[in-house]
Amino acid sequence: MTPAPRTSHGESTGGAGRPAPQEGTHHLTAARAAASASRPYVLDVSPESAGWGYSSLRVLELPPGGAHTFEAGGSEWIVLPLSGGCEVVVTEAGGGVSRFALAGRADVFHGVTDFAYLPRDSRATVATREGGRFALTGARCENRLPARYGPAAGVPVELRGAGSCSRQVNNFGAAGVFACDRLIAVEVLTPGGNWSSYPPHKHDECRPGQESELEEVYYFEIAEAAGRPGLGYQRVTPSGNGRGTDVLAEVRHGDTVLIPDGWHGPSVAAPGHDMYYLNVMAGPGAERAWLICDHPDHGWIRDTWAGCEVDPRLPLYRAPEGDQR
């Protein structure tokens, strides 16, 4: 059955020096993203397509025995398995070659994964024996760091919030956890019925020690339940900075929301359907840091968490022990 067309509200006005996407382009449904991407990508968000300066996200879908080669260009990248495992072969600008075997995982709801870091100006081939889906999280950068392997056992699994605001964060590419030049990337898992990315917060202006300026991509996967697909909702409201981004989107499996500015949150998981989203962030600041400012009308909720328990469904899983290769 072909799903009924879905709509979302999104409008922006261009900031100084920035091209503004047309209305609705902040919410990319899975079908729309796939239609505009070149195979084997089913999602391809670049600074050019998003109308910003730094953040990128591609989702690569390969059949059994499939392989894909791409140029890193002026961006650093992390290859993150969403489902399945792969081998990543990296040829660096100086001619050195590195090979990383990624064990991967069944899907995003069933385990932390290992990953590979690719420096700017390198070439990489992703090859898979069994097939799978692989996220390429990227950021334009200046410095060339070495290619590296990130073991699943080294990924900090953090529980944030409490009660119905409980969620799990896999900090594989967080600032202070894994070294990158500009790229910040994490995974968030929200049990069905909970609110995540709450209280609404922003990071759209540079205020040293208080707030970072970071563009952000939210890529969603929604767990099925009782044989039925799920859904969620994502809200972004204008903060008075940037483009005045205003989005209320019904998100389903494979959808993406672009957040150049504004208060973002909540991310709401429908009851019975766990929600996953991959956050990719980068910006112009000299310091690679995730510094946020809570919405003044909603930040008080944090004070109530001290007396509440974390949702007992969390964590959905923990990082494995040892090298899984």
Side-chain angles (χ1 to χ4, degrees), residues 45-47 50-55 140 215-217 243 258-260:
V45 174
S46 67
W52 56 33
Y54 298 92
S55 300
R140 281 182 178 158
E215 311 150 350
E216 187 161 17
V217 182
R243 310 174 184 183
L258 307 179
I259 304 175

Side-chain angles (χ1 to χ4, degrees), residues 31-283:
R32 180 177 163 201
S36 63
S38 298
R39 292 292 180 184
Y41 297 118
V42 295
L43 172 70
D44 189 355
V45 174
S46 67
E48 291 79 11
S49 69
W52 56 33
Y54 298 92
S55 300
S56 296
L57 176 62
R58 301 171 182 170
V59 175
L60 175 65
E61 195 169 81
L62 293 175
H68 176 66
T69 299
F70 68 97
E71 303 286 343
S75 295
E76 59 187 345
W77 299 87
I78 286 178
V79 178
L80 182 81
L82 299 173
S83 64
C86 63
E87 181 183 57
V88 182
V89 180
V90 187
T91 303
E92 300 192 52
V97 178
S98 302
R99 294 178 179 272
F100 305 113
L102 304 186
R105 53 188 167 183
D107 60 53
V108 298
F109 297 104
H110 289 90
V112 176
T113 184
D114 49 359
F115 58 93
Y117 173 87
L118 318 178
R120 62 164 291 160
D121 304 316
S122 65
R123 173 182 294 177
T125 297
V126 179
T128 176
R129 179 179 300 177
E130 304 297 332
R133 287 164 58 88
F134 308 95
L136 310 181
T137 67
R140 281 182 178 158
C141 64
E142 290 73 42
N143 297 311
R144 189 183 301 132
L145 280 62
R148 280 162 291 142
Y149 173 75
V155 175
V157 174
E158 174 190 1
L159 301 185
R160 290 184 189 165
S164 61
C165 293
S166 301
R167 60 271 202 184
Q168 171 180 336
V169 184
N170 300 338
N171 287 302
F172 72 95
V177 172
F178 187 84
C180 298
D181 188 31
R182 290 190 181 275
L183 177 62
I184 298 173
V186 301
E187 301 179 299
V188 181
L189 295 118
T190 307
N194 283 8
W195 282 30
S196 193
S197 245
Y198 197 79
H201 58 280
K202 74 180 185 76
H203 39 69
D204 57 14
E205 57 182 325
C206 179
R207 297 186 297 142
Q210 299 181 66
E211 184 177 350
S212 308
E213 184 180 351
L214 298 167
E215 311 150 350
E216 187 161 17
V217 182
Y218 274 58
Y219 165 76
F220 294 88
E221 295 199 357
I222 312 292
E224 291 188 356
R228 305 280 184 169
L231 55 83
Y233 292 90
Q234 176 68 43
R235 185 71 170 111
V236 186
T237 52
S239 65
N241 298 311
R243 310 174 184 183
T245 302
D246 192 347
V247 178
L248 175 57
E250 178 184 294
V251 293
R252 294 178 182 266
H253 190 86
D255 283 10
T256 302
V257 174
L258 307 179
I259 304 175
D261 53 72
W263 305 103
H264 41 288
S267 304
V268 182
H273 296 276
D274 294 341
M275 168 188 283
Y276 163 95
Y277 53 86
L278 171 61
N279 288 148
V280 182
M281 292 167 276

